[in-house]
Amino acid sequence: MANFVFRRLLLAIPTLWFIASAIFLLSKLMPGAFGSAHLAQQEAGYYSRSDAASRDHSYRQFLKTTGQDLPLFYFSITSAAFPDTLHRVFPERDRAFLQKLSWQYGDPEAAALFFRSLKTLEASLSESERQQVQEHLFRIYSHEDAAGLQQATTAIASQLPSSRHSQRQMLESSERLLAGSRGYTYLLPSVQWHGAQNQYHHWLSGLLQGSLGTSLRDGRPVATVLGEAIGNTWWLLLVSMLFATLLAMELAILMVRRSGRIWRSTFLPALFLLDSVPLFVLAMLLLVLLANPAFLQLFPVYGMGYYSSFDQSWVAQLSQWLQFMALPMICLVLANLPYLTNQFYQALAAVAGQDYIRTARAKGLSEHRVIRRHMLRNALLPVITLLSDFLPAMVAGAVIIETIFAIPGVGRLLIDAVLARDYPVIMGIVVIVAVFRLLSHLIADLLYALADPRIRSHAA
Amino acid sequence: MKNLWHIAHALWQTAPAFRLALLYLVLLAAVALALPWLPLAYGPNELDLEQIYQAPFGWETETDKSRHWLGTDGLGRDVLSNILYGARTAFTISLPVMALASLIGLTLGAMAGLYGNRRLYLSRALLAALLIGLLTFAYYGIYLPTLLFSQGADYADFLLTGIAAVLFSLLLVLALTPLFKRLPYLKKKSPFPTDELLLRLIEVQTSIPRLVLILVLAAIVPPTLLALSVLLVLTFWTGTARLARAEMLRIRELPFFEAATSLGYTQKRLLVRHALPHLLRPVLVAFSFGLAGLLMLESTLSFLNIGVSTDLVSWGRMIAGIRTNTAAWWLVAIPGAVLSLTVLALQTFSYYVLRTLQNKK
């Protein structure tokens, strides 16, 4: 058995690695890193210029501490039309500018040189000088063609004293830039090797050591953030899962009885109807009907209400928890009931025609005994696999329910992280969900072997 | 196709629920198509800030404006026109997405079922050359065009990279294959594990619940309709692929298929002429079931306001309006009812078709 478990785990690891890596790399390839929008407000005029510079500095610091200034992967393939130092240029606005320069004039080295000299010139300007050339600097950053660039640089040269070294350098490099012309260098790929100092390597080695990184929003470790949220989701899922399973089983037993014709003709259409109501509509409907002063205020509406629960006994705490969790749980149970009941009913009905059931009936056993003792155990076998698939799938339901009822769980955390583009937290949730599914499949396999002696002997 | 028509006709005469469902769907589609010519007083995104949270069926009118028959939301948007235009949005997203996903799923699933793990023999040399050719193609055909697009290049550059993509990758494959064939390891032919590959791919995709996967990917890509559709296609093809594979495995064992195989028909002919007609019907059932799921998913996403822009007219957006004012019951009741009814109609339709198919076997 241990052998079997080990093999399953070994097979699942590549899957886990593949999907986590794919999402990690995808998330990094897309533009718009966390916090870069913050920097783009620079020209809003609300802050003074020095403030913007310090923000620029703090953004770089932020990138450095979170390791986002490193190259993404072990190697990179770019077009030869771009300078190789491109990935070291921050913020993204500057990177796009340098990219545009080297694309437009076809000489990556000259473009990089010009870009650097422009930056040094800008840094050496005093406040009044900056005021003078502000307009031309802006023209350089947004120029369309070579004539525009030339005009702007000559305008800057005429306004500033020409003795300055950085200014001369800027003019020279701009001339060199303008002299070049775009050929077909961009057709050539250029491969660069970055070694182990890259974001992917750091992330993966951190993951292997059990560290999920730190949240970009508040700088806390992702494991802590997840740990706070996971308890609520876990209990919500587990309790509603238990209720849904028990209810579905009882309903299926009611329907499979010989006298259950009336149950069949009422429950099956009702469940079919219920199945076509999406979960969020169901939740909003129940919220409007049952937790609303305008209609019926049976349940508290939002959140967990745990501000007052510190000094209470555990019974009071539990009752308060139940009060807040009742409606979300009802929603989850109702949403999953049709599918589960249908599966249970199908499994039971398939067993009902077997010979040994006829024998059991012929022995004169009561209907109750026949169903509970003889049918249920055999019918449950296929349902075990179903349940193991079901628990992780309910995570999706939890996302919706937690958002609607404002329960601080993993689902809400995911929505918040997605809206804020907090990738470490998103990655953490992906890994947790995938591991959760993996474990539940493993447990299902074990349960299967425990329930069915044939499989046990086969596996051994 | 003729057979399907017969099934629909027989069901139409015997099952009243099927008739109702089909009528509803046709009506909804007709209204959604005829929308530009309908005399609607308000557009779906038109704000009427003087009449916010108007209850439906309010007969008394104070202003000289035309009535909001089904009420308004928190910004005074008309519920009726939002519902009608929402139907339009729902179907313009879900129909093409599901069609494309079914096509991908059918092709991959049928191939995997037909070839299995050891029926498709490919030479290793060709495979290795193809891999290198693919990399070249990815650089010239995908990476460079996106780069050119972001830099605003002109047509000549795009044309050049296109030609380079095709030419270089073809040349590489043609030149490398004979070269690789000289190597002792690459000389042999080996079975291509089609089935195994497909199953692994599906396993990777389904290791995370679909909604969670879409939410995660929606955080990465920009919130446009096209990006969302691509995401949905990428997550929805697995169901059809699984079904098509299982059906293909079943068909392969049937006597008529064995007879066709023993007659020495090519794999292509086997697939297209003999297997595909039998695959189409189960795939059609999966299509309409999937359509219902897609409708639910699309409205859930616009309810959560993730992956779609806020000016996209949708049933989910309308329902989300109730979160700011829980007394406005019509914001959840009316769009919710229309959404549920549409899903119900689709499910009834597929349920009856599925039942007939199973009875025929």
Side-chain angles (χ1 to χ4, degrees), chain B residues 272-343:
Chain B
V272 177
R273 297 282 294 275
H274 300 272
L276 221 51
H278 290 263
L279 279 173
L280 273 183
R281 273 174 282 169
V283 167
L284 181 83
V285 175
F287 177 84
S288 56
F289 267 122
L291 208 57
L294 206 51
L295 281 182
M296 289 206 220
L297 190 66
E298 184 269 325
S299 51
T300 305
L301 284 178
S302 49
F303 174 77
L304 294 173
N305 195 11
I306 283 178
V308 291
S309 62
T310 38
D311 56 353
L312 181 76
V313 186
S314 152
W315 293 332
R317 185 187 75 171
M318 182 113 283
I319 297 173
I322 198 174
R323 294 172 73 184
T324 46
N325 178 9
T326 44
W329 55 268
W330 58 91
L331 288 185
V332 59
I334 299 171
V338 175
L339 174 59
S340 304
L341 271 180
T342 314
V343 172

Side-chain angles (χ1 to χ4, degrees), chain B residues 58-79:
Chain B
W59 300 115
E60 67 284 350
T61 44
E62 313 96 61
T63 53
D64 48 350
K65 284 180 174 175
S66 43
R67 239 175 253 144
H68 294 282
W69 291 102
L70 293 179
T72 56
D73 71 351
L75 291 171
R77 285 177 294 208
D78 190 46
V79 174

Side-chain angles (χ1 to χ4, degrees), chain A residues 150-171:
Chain A
Q150 193 149 27
Q151 262 178 13
T153 45
T154 45
I156 290 180
S158 66
Q159 289 199 357
L160 294 178
S162 57
S163 57
R164 202 192 297 240
H165 175 66
S166 58
Q167 188 191 341
R168 250 179 298 133
Q169 208 168 32
M170 197 268 285
L171 278 177

Side-chain angles (χ1 to χ4, degrees), chain A residues 350-367:
Chain A
V351 173
Q354 299 281 334
D355 287 342
Y356 59 87
I357 299 298
R358 203 169 21 172
T359 317
R361 285 220 167 94
K363 280 196 298 186
L365 292 182
S366 66
E367 180 84 22

Side-chain angles (χ1 to χ4, degrees), chain A residues 15 19 30 78-79 82 103 184 186-189 273 276 280 284 288 292 392 396 403 421 423 430 433 437, chain B residues 139-140 143 147-148 151 157 160 203-204 206-209 211 215-216 219-220 300 303 322-323 326 339-340 344:
Chain A
T15 311
I19 189 135
M30 289 292 161
T78 49
S79 171
F82 296 123
W103 168 254
Y184 294 100
Y186 69 91
L187 283 176
L188 289 176
L273 206 68
S276 57
F280 76 100
M284 288 318 295
V288 166
N292 187 350
T403 316
R421 293 186 154 209
Y423 292 125
V430 166
V433 169
R437 181 178 171 279
Chain B
Y139 177 75
Y140 288 107
Y143 171 74
L147 205 70
L148 292 178
Q151 300 298 331
D157 291 317
L160 192 66
E203 192 188 319
V204 166
T206 47
S207 65
I208 294 176
L211 181 70
L215 285 180
V216 168
I220 298 169
T300 305
F303 174 77
I322 198 174
R323 294 172 73 184
T326 44
L339 174 59
S340 304
L344 182 67

